[in-house]
Amino acid sequence: MTRDRDKRGMFTELTTAEAVIKVLEASDDPVMTAKEIADHLEVSRDTVGRKLAQLLEEEKVSQKKVGARAVVWWIQD
């Protein structure tokens, strides 16, 4: 899959932090994995991971490691 570039030659965003928040808000589950969010948005887990890291820095989401490699995410109160 080739990605579009903007006028400056930069790759266009595949998703936004706001889209990640909307998926978390719409979920019936209290927590979600990056993979689950990525599946909803039809983007890679890495793409969602970058947005989640941004949201974590902005203190809009929280995370918890729940297994050897599993991490769950939720919207901060």
Side-chain angles (χ1 to χ4, degrees):
M1 172 176 116
T2 60
R3 288 181 47 200
D4 293 333
R5 292 180 183 260
D6 65 16
K7 293 177 184 176
R8 297 176 299 152
M10 303 295 290
F11 285 119
T12 56
E13 281 190 310
L14 296 176
T15 194
T16 63
E18 292 79 22
V20 170
I21 289 288
K22 285 181 182 179
V23 170
L24 286 166
E25 288 174 338
S27 177
D28 290 334
D29 294 320
V31 298
M32 294 182 79
T33 65
K35 171 87 169 88
E36 290 171 321
I37 298 167
D39 289 347
H40 281 281
L41 295 172
E42 297 182 350
V43 297
S44 73
R45 197 216 63 77
D46 288 342
T47 296
V48 169
R50 286 189 292 277
K51 299 303 176 186
L52 287 167
Q54 172 190 338
L55 291 165
L56 184 64
E57 272 187 36
E58 296 171 359
E59 297 182 350
K60 293 182 179 177
V61 297
S62 295
Q63 68 172 348
K64 181 177 182 181
K65 191 171 183 177
V66 293
R69 296 184 343 183
V71 176
V72 292
W73 299 85
W74 63 92
I75 297 173
Q76 269 194 12
D77 293 332

